[in-house]
Amino acid sequence: ACLDPHHRHQLSTVDDGHLKTWDLRSSRLAFRKDGAHLFGAKDVDYNPNVPYQVLTTGEDACLRFWDLRQLSSCLRSLSGGHHHWVVRSRYNVHHDQLVLSCGTDSILCLWRITSVASAPLGAKAGQDAQKSPDGLIRKYEEHEDSCYSCCWSASDAWAFASVSYDGKLVVNRVPGEEKYRILM
């Protein structure tokens, strides 16, 4: 489950293959997408900078980006980084074109997703997406067991961590080349 950072009365959940958003004021379902993933859906996260936009992960090894107001089809789907379940994914709070994902294949992936990100300060919509296409930036294969959680640092926009089933904690940084691509 994930609380909506833009609407304090909304919460999204995933179960089986479904994406559900709940209105906490009435305890009723506000949005629902059946079949959000081919098999089971595993995690959901809100874009911190774009209202109504969520990211889901699933047992189909894909990351899917959704607009909760138009759930007929996903905005974007990314695959190729994982070859087994993707159990968790997180947006970078400061730079929402950066996304982490981790899975039962022991891999942590760093993705660029400019096509559905908020426009960087001073940039025109779509301009950044032309310079930097969506896709995998880097795979981190430092875990020996299933990687079950990942997160961004609260104090450093370029640092992130992952933890595997065996308790191994790994801290990494966004590659300098990608950092400067975003800042320039």
Side-chain angles (χ1 to χ4, degrees):
C2 189
L3 288 166
D4 185 339
H6 307 285
H7 306 97
R8 65 182 189 167
H9 299 292
Q10 263 184 209
L11 167 89
S12 286
T13 62
V14 290
D15 61 63
D16 294 325
H18 314 295
L19 166 62
K20 298 175 184 174
T21 299
W22 303 89
D23 184 335
L24 299 176
R25 295 168 293 191
S26 65
S27 297
R28 292 214 164 114
L29 200 56
F31 306 104
R32 179 185 176 115
K33 173 61 179 175
D34 293 324
H37 285 269
L38 185 58
F39 305 113
K42 302 304 276 179
D43 192 31
V44 62
D45 190 31
Y46 278 88
N47 186 322
N49 302 319
V50 181
Y52 298 105
Q53 191 178 99
V54 296
L55 156 65
T56 60
T57 64
E59 294 175 7
D60 55 4
C62 291
L63 284 77
R64 296 215 169 115
F65 299 83
W66 304 91
D67 184 330
L68 293 173
R69 299 164 298 179
Q70 286 187 295
L71 289 169
S72 56
S73 64
C74 67
L75 298 170
R76 186 78 166 93
S77 181
L78 293 176
S79 61
H82 295 278
H83 57 270
H84 207 253
W85 298 0
V86 182
V87 295
R88 187 151 173 100
S89 192
R90 288 294 172 256
Y91 278 101
N92 182 306
V93 176
H94 304 285
H95 306 286
D96 63 349
Q97 65 266 51
L98 295 176
V99 170
L100 292 174
S101 66
C102 63
T104 55
D105 55 5
S106 307
I107 296 173
L108 173 73
C109 291
L110 176 63
W111 302 88
R112 178 189 316 111
I113 184 72
T114 53
S115 66
V116 294
S118 60
L121 207 55
K124 295 178 184 169
Q127 182 183 34
D128 193 47
Q130 293 171 355
K131 286 192 305 187
S132 305
D134 296 344
L136 184 64
I137 297 170
R138 184 170 173 196
K139 278 186 184 184
Y140 297 87
E141 301 184 59
E142 298 158 326
H143 291 286
E144 295 170 14
D145 209 339
S146 296
C147 187
Y148 279 104
S149 191
C150 57
C151 66
W152 290 96
S153 168
S155 61
D156 182 345
W158 310 108
F160 53 91
S162 58
V163 66
S164 59
Y165 181 74
D166 59 6
K168 183 177 181 181
L169 173 70
V170 178
V171 178
N172 281 296
R173 299 187 62 75
V174 173
E177 176 184 304
E178 189 65 25
K179 176 181 174 180
Y180 293 117
R181 179 180 288 132
I182 292 168
L183 294 175
M184 299 303 200

